[in-house]
Amino acid sequence: MGKIIALANQKGGVGKTTTAMNLAASMAVLEFKTLVVDADPQANTTSGLGHNPKEIHKSIYECMVGQAQISDCIVATDIAHLDLLPSHINLVGAEVEMVSLNQREEKMRKVLAKVKDNYDFIFIDCAPSLGLITVNALTASDSVIIPVQCEYFALEGLGKLLNTITIIQKRLNSALEIEGVLLTMYDVRLRLSNQVVEEVQKHFKNMVFKTIIPRNVRLSESPSFGVPAIVHDAESKGALAYLSLAKEIADNQKK
């Protein structure tokens, strides 16, 4: 049975999509059967893995509102062992449509339950909000990765996210765990980056991943080519960091 891991932080620009794409691709390179779910209406993971969101007619949206089966919506990527459940802009409307539905927080869990046994890992790229779609993702997940950028306001808003996770643990998904806090956009030359690393490690202790994701040009430019960094430049620092993170998560799984 696969492990479902959400990538969540309501703060934008912290590296959620970069992590979803590159971590999923790295898991696939390690020959784990992997699905990445694009649960963000901006559909950046979808385009970053080589699919044009404007040409997507069956997505996570149709699955959640009961208009399509998940097996008809999953698409392949150019990477062996890596599949994608795409998104498109209509996902914005799903929150409104689902408000009046019974068990509206459970929709994604029921959708993913149908394919969970087909994968080793399922990663969900959440939108930068704590809305109903993100609540669905956390309710569907076994654990959550919290990306935190090594910048001045790094810890701002994290209390709100942790509070949301606690509420979901109490009311909707008692099995939800924090997989880890992931430090992203680290610049070894900046004293601020090092201060943030120290602060986060002091605050979250052993919840922080050993792997730290650096600022890296290849990570930034690879989505414009529709591929993750490991395909764009496998020897780049960014690609190697995500490969290291994938191994760390896989090793934690064995314990």
Side-chain angles (χ1 to χ4, degrees), residues 160-247:
K160 206 172 193 180
L161 174 62
L162 293 170
N163 190 42
T164 299
I165 290 169
T166 301
I167 291 168
I168 285 166
Q169 287 167 330
K170 285 179 182 169
R171 299 183 187 173
L172 297 164
N173 182 4
S174 59
L176 181 66
E177 297 177 342
I178 294 177
E179 186 76 24
V181 175
L182 177 66
L183 289 156
T184 64
M185 304 180 196
Y186 174 71
D187 189 335
V188 70
R189 299 165 302 176
L190 297 180
R191 192 164 75 180
L192 176 63
S193 275
N194 293 302
Q195 286 172 341
V196 171
V197 169
E198 285 176 23
E199 190 178 354
V200 171
Q201 287 173 338
K202 186 172 75 177
H203 201 77
F204 292 101
K205 300 185 171 61
N206 59 356
M207 286 165 58
V208 183
F209 286 110
K210 293 184 182 72
T211 304
I212 297 177
I213 309 300
R215 276 197 182 278
N216 182 248
V217 173
R218 294 290 185 258
L219 281 178
S220 303
E221 68 188 16
S222 66
S224 64
F225 294 93
V227 294
I230 204 159
V231 174
H232 184 50
D233 183 352
E235 295 300 313
S236 65
K237 286 184 178 177
L240 293 172
Y242 277 110
L243 199 55
S244 169
L245 177 65
K247 288 174 182 171

Side-chain angles (χ1 to χ4, degrees), residues 132-143:
L132 187 54
I133 302 296
T134 299
V135 169
N136 260 267
L138 293 170
T139 303
S141 296
D142 299 301
S143 64

Side-chain angles (χ1 to χ4, degrees), residues 100-115:
S100 58
L101 298 180
N102 286 333
Q103 296 184 309
R104 58 183 180 266
E105 299 91 353
E106 304 273 350
K107 297 300 177 187
M108 195 179 297
R109 180 173 12 209
K110 288 176 179 172
V111 166
L112 294 180
K114 295 171 184 173
V115 297

Side-chain angles (χ1 to χ4, degrees), residues 31-49:
E31 298 191 348
F32 290 103
K33 191 89 175 72
T34 306
L35 174 68
V36 59
V37 178
D38 192 348
D40 185 345
Q42 295 175 81
N44 290 338
T45 295
T46 300
S47 59
L49 288 172

Side-chain angles (χ1 to χ4, degrees), residues 1 6 72 77 84 95-96 128-129 135 144 164 183 188 193 195 214 222:
M1 182 180 281
D72 296 328
T77 69
L84 167 71
E95 299 218 354
V96 178
S129 76
V135 169
V144 54
T164 299
L183 289 156
V188 70
S193 275
Q195 286 172 341
S222 66

